[in-house]
Amino acid sequence: MTDDKNEKKARIAALRPAYQDDLGAGTERFFAARRTDCPWCGAERLTTRLRTTDLLQHKPGRFTLDRCADCGHTFQNPRLTEQGLEFYYRDFYDGLGEQRMSGTFGGRGAMYRGRAEAMLPHDPTPKTWLDVGTGHGHFCAAARAVLPGTSFDGLDFTDGVELAAREGRVDHAYRGAFPALAPELGARYDVVSMFHYLEHSTDPDRELRAAHEAVRPGGHLLIEVPDPQSRYARLLGRWWLPWLQPQHLHFMPVANLRRRLTELGFTVVAEQHAEPHDPVDLLAAVWLALDHTAPREDVPWLPEPPGVLSRALRSTLFLAGVPALVTATLLDRFALRPLSHRLGLANAYRLVVRRD
C-alpha cells in the first residue's frame, strides 16, 4: 500500500468516531421544518419534483426538491439546518475532499477563461473583481490570463479561500458569509462574480442584495447557475449531476432571476446558455449510477471499513462500466455539445448585469 493510501486510511480512521457520534444522535436535527409556501414568490401550490439521496458522498439522509407551480422555482424542502449544512459539507471541499476537489477544479482552465471572457464586451479592463464562492481560487488564477490588469479577490466561507491566498490565486481573501461582509465592501468592485454559488445559498435574495452593495454604480455582476429548465433535468432524473443533493438548495428559472435583478436595480446586458454548458451530463449520470450500485469505498461515516470482497466487487463493477463511461463521454463532448442549446439540453445559464 502506498504512503498516500496509508495516510488516507489513517485519516479516515481518525475521523470515524466523530462521524459515528453525529449519526448516533440521528439525522432529524439536520433538517428544518417543511415549508408550505415558495421561498421565491410565496405561493402555496407546491409539487414534489425529485426525491433522492446523497449520490456523491453517500452520507445518510433522504432529500426532496419541491417545485412552485406559480413561478417554477425549485427548492430543497425541508431545507438543511446550519447543523445539516456543516455535516454534509464536511470533507467535501476541504478535509478529506480537498485534494480531489482541488484537482477537479484545477483542471478546468478553459472553462474559467471562458467565464472571464464573458466580461470583455461589457468592460474589457476592469480594475477590481470579487469572485464570491471562489473555493480554492482556480477561476481567479485562470482569469488573469484574460485580464492581466485586473486585481482578483476571493470570498468563501470555507478555508479554501485562505489556501487560494497562500497559493497566490487571489490578491485578497475574505472568509465568511457574503451578506455579512458586503457592508465593508460597499461599491468597491468593478465586477462581482457568482459562478455556481447562488444555488448553494440559504437565501438567494440576500446574496443578490449583497452583490448590489458590493458592485460600484456602472459595474457588473456575473451569475452562472444550473438551469432547472434543462431537458436533461427531466430526462436523467436523480442522476442529473447539477441537482447535487443535499448541497444545492435553490434552482431559479432564468425569467425569475432576470426579474429579481431588475427589481434590485440591475440591467441585464447578456444572457447565455450554450457558452456555460458543461458537457458532462451523460458521463456523470453513468458514473453516479455505477457508484450508487457498487459497494461503498471506505469513508468515516461508515461504521467500519469495507472488506476485501467488497472492494474487489467495486473494482470489478467499474471495470465493466468502462465502455458505458467512454460512450457517454463521446456523446457529451462531440455529438450533443454543439446542439445543447438548440435541443434545450444546456445544463446552466449565465447572466451579465450592470448596476444602474
Side-chain angles (χ1 to χ4, degrees):
M1 187 179 290
T2 65
D3 290 342
D4 286 346
K5 288 184 177 179
N6 278 324
E7 181 183 353
K8 184 177 181 180
K9 183 178 179 180
R11 292 179 69 189
I12 290 172
L15 292 169
R16 184 168 274 119
Y19 269 107
Q20 297 310 307
D21 286 345
D22 281 339
L23 292 170
T27 59
E28 291 80 8
R29 70 191 188 283
F30 296 155
F31 297 89
R34 187 174 183 83
R35 291 189 68 127
T36 59
D37 63 334
C38 172
W40 191 267
C41 73
E44 296 185 349
R45 296 198 303 145
L46 305 180
T47 58
T48 297
R49 179 161 187 177
L50 184 74
R51 298 184 193 275
T52 189
T53 56
D54 180 349
L55 295 174
L56 287 175
Q57 288 187 296
H58 303 288
K59 289 181 176 178
R62 299 193 66 83
F63 313 99
T64 301
L65 293 175
D66 282 349
R67 182 181 182 275
C68 175
D70 282 19
C71 74
H73 186 76
T74 297
F75 64 102
Q76 189 185 85
N77 194 23
R79 183 179 69 74
L80 294 179
T81 60
E82 290 301 317
Q83 286 181 304
L85 289 167
E86 188 282 327
F87 178 79
Y88 287 106
Y89 270 89
R90 193 192 313 166
D91 290 308
F92 191 89
Y93 295 101
D94 50 17
L96 280 178
E98 181 178 300
Q99 186 174 5
R100 173 176 56 87
M101 295 307 295
S102 182
T104 298
F105 293 140
R108 316 207 80 185
M111 174 178 286
Y112 299 144
R113 290 190 294 273
R115 290 173 177 174
E117 288 165 357
M119 194 66 246
L120 295 179
H122 313 288
D123 184 355
T125 58
K127 296 295 186 293
T128 54
W129 186 309
L130 175 67
D131 187 40
V132 180
T134 198
H136 295 167
H138 290 102
F139 162 75
C140 296
R144 294 181 193 279
V146 180
L147 298 164
T150 302
S151 174
F152 286 91
D153 295 344
L155 185 152
D156 209 297
F157 62 86
T158 72
D159 60 8
V161 70
E162 295 169 349
L163 171 66
R166 291 195 299 271
E167 296 291 331
R169 300 182 192 127
V170 300
D171 295 303
H172 187 84
Y174 298 96
R175 184 173 182 182
F178 188 30
L181 294 170
E184 70 178 86
L185 306 176
R188 182 179 301 182
Y189 289 96
D190 296 326
V191 181
V192 170
S193 56
M194 294 175 167
F195 297 119
H196 291 271
Y197 168 80
L198 271 184
E199 63 268 29
H200 291 264
S201 64
T202 57
D203 187 347
D205 189 64
R206 286 184 65 212
E207 304 290 341
L208 295 175
R209 284 185 271 119
H212 188 270
E213 197 169 359
V215 177
R216 66 167 179 80
H220 293 82
L221 169 65
L222 270 73
I223 297 176
E224 188 174 301
V225 291
D227 189 351
Q229 296 172 302
S230 168
R231 285 183 177 167
Y232 270 138
R234 297 191 297 274
L235 294 171
L236 298 177
R238 68 184 301 208
W239 311 114
W240 190 53
L241 180 63
W243 289 133
L244 196 65
Q245 290 303 290
Q247 294 188 21
H248 286 181
L249 309 180
H250 293 277
F251 297 86
M252 296 139 287
V254 66
N256 286 10
L257 192 52
R258 288 180 66 110
R259 189 177 305 112
R260 184 60 52 86
L261 288 165
T262 300
E263 292 168 354
L264 288 173
F266 290 102
T267 296
V268 178
V269 296
E271 176 181 329
Q272 299 177 334
H273 292 263
E275 294 85 349
H277 173 66
D278 188 6
V280 297
D281 299 88
L282 298 179
L283 171 62
V286 173
W287 175 269
L288 291 175
L290 286 171
D291 192 37
H292 177 73
T293 305
R296 299 273 67 80
E297 60 183 347
D298 192 18
V299 286
W301 41 95
L302 286 178
E304 59 185 23
V308 175
L309 179 59
S310 178
R311 296 197 302 271
L313 287 173
R314 181 177 176 84
S315 298
T316 300
L317 180 62
F318 273 95
L319 185 62
V322 167
L325 292 167
V326 171
T327 300
T329 300
L330 294 174
L331 288 172
D332 276 333
R333 294 189 176 276
F334 302 107
L336 295 173
R337 183 177 188 175
L339 304 171
S340 61
H341 182 42
R342 188 182 306 173
L343 296 176
L345 298 174
N347 53 27
Y349 65 84
R350 182 186 300 149
L351 295 178
V352 184
V353 301
R354 183 182 64 246
R355 179 182 169 183
D356 297 331

